[in-house]
Amino acid sequence: MVDLKAPGAVSAPRKIELFTPTYFAACTLGGVIACGPTHTSVTPLDLVKCRRQVDPKIYSSNLSAWSQIYSKEGLRGVFFGWAPTFVGYSFQGAGKYGFYEVFKYLYGDKLFPNMNKTAVYLGASASAEALADLALCPWEAIKVRMQTTLPPYAHNLREGFSKIVQNEGYAGLYKGLYPLWGRQIPYTMVKFATFESAVSQIYKTLGKPKESYNTLQQTGVSFLGGYIAGIGCAVVSHPADVMVSKLNSDRKAGEAATSAMTRIYGNIGFAGLWNGLPVRIVMIGTLTAFQWLIYDSFKVYCGLPTTGGH
């Protein structure tokens, strides 16, 4: 537990009592603010990454891709798919961060107080992401289809939602759930456990306890820890990310998920699972760093301690 009265721990007076429903609600809102806008801001990177995962020959380079898209469709084309991205990752951020705080408290303080901290972080983040993905999956399905089909499967969020439901029923919105879990759960486990460990190691290296630093310095540590975590996230989850893109763009009507994945893997091979990795490292590293910076800044604004390091 952080001593909020320690010098430099939190500059604002505590407004919310820790581990109350209000506290968890604040963390949930912080997750929305951290994830929705940040994922939307990197839509141009995500757009090109998804298209190159589905068709490696579509563009010669990322710069060439953006140049071609902008020349034909303008700035709107570069940010194509932003609406389902914003909605989906706002929901996902709410579940990811809100439920993480709930499960971390439940597992670490209530059910298994003597459990290794890293095990608590891994279990809490896996549980949180499994629930968060139920909210993300429909919007991710729409986004991927919009971004990876030419001409586009749909031109906006409403059209994409209507077409999938009309042609495949509501089940069509969840046909990528299993590979999404395969991508997002390991991703989030690495994201949270690596972040917590990185932040603790940074403070240990600095040689002074977290409470001796002001809130600006603490959020700076959150940013650095987030970038370190983001690199690991990108590498661990990339093969599943490629498969999610392929499934949503190339799965035949009535085809079982396992059959589709076997067929797709037969076409692209092991090397194909790593298409687009460099751009994803840049995207996810930067994204994760800013998410932790925004999330912890919001917690500080609420009078709460930053995450990790204690």
Side-chain angles (χ1 to χ4, degrees):
M1 182 74 69
V2 174
D3 180 6
L4 297 180
K5 298 180 180 180
V10 176
S11 59
R14 185 168 66 178
K15 305 172 186 177
I16 298 174
E17 185 177 351
L18 295 177
F19 312 126
T20 61
T22 305
Y23 166 78
F24 294 124
C27 294
T28 299
L29 179 57
V32 173
I33 297 170
C35 292
T38 51
H39 274 279
T40 305
S41 70
V42 295
T43 298
L45 279 168
D46 193 36
L47 172 66
V48 173
K49 171 191 69 69
C50 287
R51 287 184 177 175
R52 296 187 76 184
Q53 285 174 340
V54 172
D55 182 3
K57 299 179 181 178
I58 189 171
Y59 304 119
S60 60
S61 67
N62 295 327
L63 290 177
S64 173
W66 292 316
S67 177
Q68 290 182 47
I69 295 169
Y70 184 79
S71 65
K72 294 178 181 178
E73 306 169 52
L75 190 61
R76 182 178 180 179
V78 175
F79 278 87
F80 188 63
W82 73 268
T85 299
F86 179 76
V87 174
Y89 283 94
S90 292
F91 279 130
Q92 189 238 20
K96 175 187 290 189
Y97 282 91
F99 282 124
Y100 174 70
E101 298 285 0
V102 170
F103 285 121
K104 184 168 71 167
Y105 174 65
L106 179 64
Y107 296 162
D109 288 27
K110 292 297 184 181
L111 297 179
F112 312 106
N114 298 319
M115 181 179 287
N116 176 271
K117 285 187 176 182
T118 299
V120 171
Y121 303 148
L122 290 170
S125 57
S127 301
E129 188 60 41
L131 295 176
D133 287 345
L134 295 175
L136 169 63
C137 192
W139 316 104
E140 180 77 356
I142 297 168
K143 176 191 79 74
V144 171
R145 292 202 197 186
M146 287 174 61
Q147 290 181 332
T148 59
T149 53
L150 294 173
Y153 177 83
H155 293 87
N156 55 55
L157 171 59
R158 181 181 298 178
E159 182 186 357
F161 184 90
S162 299
K163 286 184 72 173
I164 292 176
V165 172
Q166 181 179 355
N167 296 332
E168 306 170 45
Y170 288 101
L173 295 169
Y174 282 91
K175 75 178 188 179
L177 179 60
Y178 293 150
L180 185 65
W181 273 335
R183 180 187 80 186
Q184 289 296 135
I185 291 177
Y187 171 101
T188 300
M189 292 171 72
V190 171
K191 175 177 180 174
F192 282 86
T194 303
F195 173 81
E196 298 263 16
S197 299
V199 167
S200 295
Q201 187 59 48
I202 290 169
Y203 284 119
K204 187 180 297 184
T205 302
L206 291 173
K208 292 192 292 184
K210 171 182 174 178
E211 292 76 17
S212 65
Y213 296 95
N214 61 40
T215 54
L216 180 61
Q217 292 168 326
Q218 289 184 30
T219 52
V221 171
S222 296
F223 181 84
L224 178 57
Y227 209 100
I228 293 169
I231 295 172
C233 290
V235 175
V236 166
S237 63
H238 193 72
D241 184 60
V242 173
M243 191 59 71
V244 168
S245 297
K246 286 283 192 180
L247 276 172
N248 279 299
S249 65
D250 189 31
R251 185 174 172 184
K252 300 175 182 177
E255 187 178 25
T258 52
S259 298
M261 287 189 284
T262 300
R263 176 178 57 81
I264 290 168
Y265 183 80
N267 292 333
I268 65 175
F270 182 76
L273 293 174
W274 302 97
N275 287 334
L277 179 59
V279 68
R280 192 159 186 266
I281 287 176
V282 174
M283 183 181 83
I284 297 301
T286 305
L287 193 70
T288 305
F290 276 103
Q291 284 177 356
W292 279 113
L293 176 63
I294 293 168
Y295 179 68
D296 273 352
S297 295
F298 181 77
K299 289 178 72 176
V300 167
Y301 173 77
C302 294
L304 297 169
T306 57
T307 310
H310 57 278

